[in-house]
Amino acid sequence: MNDQIQLRHLSADQPATTTTTALDIGGVGATFVSVTRDAPVDTTPDPFSFATVNGVQYDPRVTTESEVVTITGIDAPAAVSIQGGEYRINSGSWQSAAGQISNNDQIQLRHLSAGQPATTITTTLDIGGVSATFASVTRDVQATPLSVNAGDDGEIVAVTETLHLGSAVEVQGGSTPYRYAWSVLPDSAEADFSLLSADTVAPVFSAVTPGSYTLTLTVQDDLNQKSEDSLTVRVIIPDQRTVAYSIEQSLTACKSILASNSVVGSDTGVMLLAPVVSLGKNFAVPVGAGLRVVSEA
């Protein structure tokens, strides 16, 4: 009577496992139970890293993305936080807010590039207390002077012809990519013209109004250097082009086309835009708004 008793047994070798010992004294039974604890939660991932991306474009509007990294070594969701960029898990939505990641999930980072050459931008990612940095470095550019040649002057017939610019454009120096901008300055404020695709290297020009048009090409490079060059396009009315003749050929031709509308010109610049009018031994040759009188020898 009044004796004391104590029980013991070996614990289980697995987590969250119950071991039971039964005791009977004079027909009265009791049970002693022990339960092993749950397995420890491991939210510390294996080390991970992101390769540095070199030579990216220096433009703060350009996004640079890291490689995709698989997270391993955790048996429960681990906390994710980021500084200086965004992340996405398993190709999901990009985010910068804190989140969680599970074992074997894939994660990718991104950030905006620097706006200057040879500049590094970094993003730091922390998963379960393990951190890694993703860096991008803009390319190092030695600026060279930018120059542009817009090409040669041109001539088109009003209404019926177009001029495809750009085939002779030459850009030298600077840093690619280049940005192009064409502008038109007509010799008349009332000129009717069209310039399609003016923000490309090869726009298309046409005009309804005859006259002289100055087309200017402005080129801007990746370092914001600018250079410009201009060319002149002469827009003529139909049938204004000159067929070259010598003076002797012109006189002979004049005699044979007194009543025609044929186009005849000379190597001295005389242009026939209307029928030649006979003035006895002289020939009145229309030149612009006036007449040029050519005497027959």
Side-chain angles (χ1 to χ4, degrees), residues 94-117:
W94 291 100
Q95 64 182 68
S96 59
Q100 289 187 322
I101 193 169
S102 298
N103 198 48
N104 290 322
D105 279 350
Q106 293 184 321
I107 193 166
Q108 185 179 25
L109 312 184
R110 73 175 184 180
H111 57 221
L112 293 175
S113 301
Q116 299 297 324

Side-chain angles (χ1 to χ4, degrees), residues 142-151 168-180 201 217-223 225-229:
Q142 299 298 322
T144 58
L146 177 68
S147 65
V148 59
N149 183 345
V169 168
E170 295 181 355
V171 181
Q172 295 182 342
S175 174
T176 58
Y178 301 127
R179 294 185 290 276
Y180 303 91
V201 68
L217 170 61
T218 301
V219 178
Q220 182 173 348
D221 73 355
D222 201 34
L223 293 174
Q225 296 184 104
K226 289 185 178 181
S227 179
E228 66 179 36
D229 187 39

